[in-house]
Amino acid sequence: MAAVQCLTFLFLFLLQNATSASPLPFFRRPNQSNHNNFAKHPRRNPVILPVNHSSCDLFAGEWVRDETYPLYRAKECGGGIIDPGFDCQTYGRPDSDYLKFRWKPFNCNVPRFNGVKFLQEMRDKTIMFVGDSLGRNQWESLICMISSSAPSINTHIIHEDPLSTFMILDYNVKVSFYRAPYLVDIDKIHGKTTLKLDEISVDASNAWRTADVLLFNTGHWWSHTGSLRGWEQMETGGRYYGDMDRLVALRKGLRTWSSWVLRYINSPLTRVFFLSVSPTHYNPNEWTSRSKTSTITQGAKSCYGQTTPFSGTSYPTSSYVNQKKVIDDVVKEMKSHVSLMDITMLSALRVDGHPSIYSGDLNPSLKRNPDRSSDCSHWCLPGLPDTWNQLFYAALLY
């Protein structure tokens, strides 16, 4: 009888401890490989859908003033991280209110970026941004966010073309940028620079497949004309074209990219994101009320002098709305393979966020002519790309 009572007591003791014990932290998975972490932690697609299919749509919201911002100062990034073209405060921007705004979704809160948590979750992994200079803008932002919130880490950076990599040695984490403005291949054929709409280069494919997290972008280069056009001819279906409808070309290129993702990316093991179009602000008539339009310099093409976000929760127009539709269509066709980061509208509201003339790439004579030389395409750092990365962080880890 005593033995039975003893066993009963032991059973009740073990049961009480099992039910009261605290669970392991949600993302800590001892003794698992880095790939298995992603396989056993399925993506929460409802959190990051571009439309509000769940309780939280990260991309519908408003800009609110927050005196705790910015998340970092340029000097905290380390020397040579921020391109001179993005380093607005260092190159003379006189105002700083544009740094004091935080994106607030209507029905949820975005977690504040925690560099240590990010590195713990990404231990032994590679995060790779792939695309044009807006991707580089975001890559440099993430490096700064990590460096400022985890300041004691040992790091090393390699700047090469097309692949640059920032390594956090303590965690064996790599944060890379692969320059591929069109995503598809561009090469010399019969002496002409040719945009190959049906191909992705072997070098690019091999590099991208090494990543555990991929964030792609493209857009601006597809609309360039004249001396800014990056190619002399296009190739598709074995035929060459001097030019074609750029939206048709973009769709063809994106379909080639989507086929690559579906063929080579094992979605449970690798997270894939696509950043929607980043808008430009070269036309003041887009954000200026009719009563003020008469004060705009005739022929002005500049965001110079803008110091606050556009008031409201939606932007009246965008020169990239058609490109955005193409991107949205192609990504949606892929269903669960790719998560769309729909940053277009929240970025369109930030008419104040561009380098304008406050760029280390401009000499004094160019700075004296802001209507002709302002950069209203890229973004200041610190600045808007930090918000893209906060949303990326939330979508990736929460």
Side-chain angles (χ1 to χ4, degrees), residues 81 153-159 165-169 173-175:
I81 297 297
I153 53 177
N154 296 306
T155 65
H156 180 64
I157 191 165
I158 300 173
H159 284 291
T165 300
F166 180 75
M167 293 175 280
I168 301 93
L169 304 178
V173 172
K174 296 179 181 179
V175 183

Side-chain angles (χ1 to χ4, degrees), residues 239-259:
R239 299 181 62 184
Y240 298 95
Y241 300 85
D243 206 342
M244 69 170 66
D245 184 299
R246 299 304 180 80
L247 294 176
V248 172
L250 173 61
R251 190 178 295 273
K252 286 179 179 290
L254 285 176
R255 288 233 164 95
T256 298
W257 164 81
S258 69
S259 296

Side-chain angles (χ1 to χ4, degrees), residues 100-314:
K100 297 293 185 180
F101 288 89
R102 170 174 57 86
W103 178 250
K104 186 181 185 309
F106 289 130
N107 50 12
C108 56
N109 292 314
V110 178
R112 194 176 181 94
F113 183 82
N114 182 321
V116 173
K117 176 180 173 62
F118 181 82
L119 292 173
Q120 288 172 341
E121 300 296 344
M122 294 293 107
R123 186 185 293 274
D124 300 325
K125 295 182 175 64
T126 295
I127 304 98
M128 187 178 293
F129 295 86
V130 180
D132 58 25
S133 52
L134 276 306
R136 186 179 186 91
N137 219 173
Q138 187 177 5
W139 173 64
E140 292 178 7
S141 161
L142 184 59
I143 292 173
C144 291
M145 291 168 70
I146 293 171
S147 299
S148 64
S149 60
S152 300
I153 53 177
N154 296 306
T155 65
H156 180 64
I157 191 165
I158 300 173
H159 284 291
E160 293 182 350
D161 187 21
L163 179 64
S164 296
T165 300
F166 180 75
M167 293 175 280
I168 301 93
L169 304 178
D170 315 69
Y171 294 86
N172 192 30
V173 172
K174 296 179 181 179
V175 183
S176 299
F177 169 70
Y178 192 100
R179 188 182 64 83
Y182 303 98
L183 300 182
V184 292
D185 196 13
I186 187 165
D187 201 1
K188 284 281 188 181
I189 298 180
H190 306 310
K192 289 188 175 182
T193 304
T194 305
L195 185 60
K196 305 171 78 172
L197 299 177
D198 304 332
E199 295 182 28
I200 287 174
S201 75
V202 173
D203 288 346
S205 177
N206 289 340
W208 302 352
R209 290 164 66 185
T210 65
D212 300 282
V213 181
L214 285 158
L215 197 154
F216 293 92
N217 91 287
T218 192
H220 288 198
W221 281 65
W222 293 90
S223 59
H224 288 173
T225 59
S227 61
L228 295 178
R229 195 174 81 167
W231 44 268
E232 296 172 273
Q233 63 182 2
M234 296 183 184
E235 180 196 14
T236 181
R239 299 181 62 184
Y240 298 95
Y241 300 85
D243 206 342
M244 69 170 66
D245 184 299
R246 299 304 180 80
L247 294 176
V248 172
L250 173 61
R251 190 178 295 273
K252 286 179 179 290
L254 285 176
R255 288 233 164 95
T256 298
W257 164 81
S258 69
S259 296
W260 179 89
V261 171
L262 296 173
R263 179 178 179 183
Y264 289 110
I265 299 301
N266 186 336
S267 56
L269 304 182
T270 305
R271 300 289 298 275
V272 183
F273 297 84
F274 201 103
L275 192 78
S276 190
V277 177
S278 172
T280 61
H281 292 98
Y282 285 103
N283 181 6
N285 291 315
E286 289 182 358
W287 65 83
T288 307
S289 65
R290 291 184 179 180
S291 62
K292 296 181 180 179
T293 300
S294 60
T295 65
I296 298 174
T297 304
Q298 186 67 29
K301 294 178 64 178
S302 173
C303 53
Y304 173 72
Q306 300 302 311
T307 59
T308 57
F310 182 82
S311 178
T313 58
S314 63

